């Protein structure tokens, strides 16, 4: 079974797309998360708006995860990236172009995907701090055949 879902606005779990502490919100219609039964996650999380000081782009930033294997921890009911299986994956920040990210991706109890890290956007003098959290699943879960 594969858990798929659009982002959901659910009490107690905050959806956020923060860049250097500025919460840009999450475009719930454009964002999605898929967690396969093999523990591999594919996700695209799209911000609702641009950072306040960005006047050189028209499209809001997004964080993209493709083929990222997770390792489940029964003690905490969560998961982190399985470095032993990490080979053909892609994790990137997009704003006018692809930028590498460095940080920690985790899956928390209650179907909450969270990334905390940094990215250095081309042309910016310093790295941006990212804190992106999205809830998915719930009633929108559909089994995969």
């Amino acid at each position: 079974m594969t858990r798929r879902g659009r982002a959901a606005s659910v009490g107690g779990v905050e959806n956020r797309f923060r860049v250097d502490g500025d919460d840009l919100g999450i475009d719930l219609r454009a964002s999605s998360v898929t967690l396969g039964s093999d523990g591999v996650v594919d996700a695209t999380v799209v911000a609702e708006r641009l950072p306040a000081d960005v006047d050189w782009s028209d499209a809001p930033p997004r964080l993209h995860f493709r083929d990222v294997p997770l390792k489940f921890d029964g003690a905490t009911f969560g998961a982190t990236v399985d470095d032993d299986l990490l080979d053909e994956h892609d994790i990137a920040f997009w704003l006018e172009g692809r930028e590498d990210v460095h940080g920690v991706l985790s899956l928390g109890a209650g179907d909450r995907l969270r990334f905390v890290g940094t990215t250095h956007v081309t042309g910016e003098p310093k790295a941006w701090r990212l804190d992106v959290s999205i809830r998915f699943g719930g009633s929108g879960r559909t089994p995969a055949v």
Side-chain angles (χ1 to χ4, degrees):
M1 182 150 116
T2 298
R3 287 188 280 187
R4 290 185 196 153
R6 289 280 173 209
S9 180
V10 178
V13 177
E14 180 186 9
N15 289 324
R16 64 180 170 269
F17 197 119
R18 289 189 185 138
V19 174
D20 284 341
D22 181 12
D23 193 347
L24 308 178
I26 290 183
D27 182 339
L28 297 176
R29 291 183 185 265
S31 300
S32 66
V33 178
T34 300
L35 176 61
S37 59
D38 58 356
V40 174
V41 69
D42 292 299
T44 300
V45 184
V46 182
E48 281 185 315
R49 64 176 179 85
L50 288 164
D53 58 347
V54 172
D55 58 2
W56 40 266
S57 179
D58 294 325
R62 67 184 185 270
L63 198 54
H64 178 73
F65 306 94
R66 181 186 53 81
D67 295 334
V68 179
L70 298 177
K71 176 174 42 181
F72 292 89
D73 176 5
T76 62
F77 299 104
T80 56
V81 173
D82 188 343
D83 293 326
D84 295 334
L85 298 176
L86 198 59
D87 54 357
E88 296 296 323
H89 74 288
D90 183 37
I91 302 175
F93 179 85
W94 287 84
L95 181 64
E96 289 296 310
R98 183 190 188 286
E99 307 289 350
D100 289 335
V101 295
H102 305 281
V104 176
L105 174 66
S106 60
L107 178 71
D111 293 338
R112 183 179 59 89
L113 189 69
R114 184 172 186 204
F115 177 81
V116 177
T118 60
T119 187
H120 195 107
V121 175
T122 303
E124 290 296 310
K126 65 179 185 76
W128 289 359
R129 290 170 296 136
L130 304 175
D131 183 353
V132 177
S133 180
I134 186 169
R135 170 136 166 103
F136 70 99
S139 62
R141 289 185 186 179
T142 57
V145 179

